[in-house]
Amino acid sequence: MKHFLKLLDCSKEEIIGLLDLADQLKQEQKAGITHHMLKGKTLGMIFEKSSTRTRVSFEVGMYQLGGHALFISSKDAQIGRGEPTEDTARVLSRFVDGIMIRTFAQEEVEKLAQYGSVPVINGLTDFCHPCQVMADLQTIREKKGKLEGLHLAYIGDGNNMAHSLIVGCLKVGMCVSVACPKGYEPNKEILAFAECYGDTFTLTEDPSEAVKNADVVVTDAWASMGQEEEHQIRMKAFAHFQVNETLMQQAKPDCMVLHCLPAYRGEEITAELLEAHADEIFEEAENRLHAQKAILVKLMGA
Ligand code: CP
Ligand code: NVA
């Protein structure tokens, strides 16, 4: 594995290998065992969108691994004034040992990997959010003891989170059902991928159908970063797609609820349901640290 750009590029074995390493690193960190596997290494982190979890977990993760992280905001860097990604990639590659980027177009991430000479990690694009889904899989496996055969239902926008969940969950042998309003379905490339999995993938416009007998229910913001102007239209379109107590009655009694955060209470999820599943949701947030440390070690380690 040279880069971590999207889960479509990863095999089942690579995903499981990263999850095993993430569990190991989590245990070591909790036990106070030093694991300076990236001593002396630097990660450059380019942000063209806001972030709390991604920035802090990568920065802390590099520190815990004995390395260093550099925060590069496009508000201040030349990339925000139009310096080509091709040049940024070649310049940064001469200073740092790896690059993490959060941006809009997936093509930018791919370009960075193509022109640079160091590993590139996708910290979210409009197309996908692979680091988040590694943390989600780690959390599910931790709580349920397995992944294979579990049923995950995703309710809401067919966005970056939906895309990575569909690919990641299907690859590790889970069943996935997705409920989206008409016009907000996952993109064609992802649906074509999912079709290869036959009955283990279903797409519907009915949230209660998707949630039936689910082991895990996941939702995400109705308006993602960059879609702020569509907020009002989206509130109407998604009105019947809220994850709440009534919807959860269709799921298995021990069903987990996950949310990548930030959450918008009263929109995609009720405050009550979020609080009822806070243990799972904040463990999921913590697991960003452990899952990404595994990715960093795999790509930048000796
Ligand atoms: N879930 C997630 O990626 O959070 P941030 O936007 O805070 O990084
Ligand atoms: N779909 C959301 C995820 C935020 C972590 C967004 O792209 O804004």
Side-chain angles (χ1 to χ4, degrees), residues 49 53-54 102 124-126 129 132 157 159-161 220-221 223-226 260-262 288:
K49 289 176 175 172
R53 279 144 289 266
T54 305
R102 165 168 289 195
L124 180 147
T125 59
D126 292 343
H129 198 1
Q132 178 68 54
D157 190 18
N159 61 10
N160 43 13
M161 273 306 297
D220 184 21
S224 283
M225 289 181 274
C260 68
L261 305 173
R288 292 293 302 279

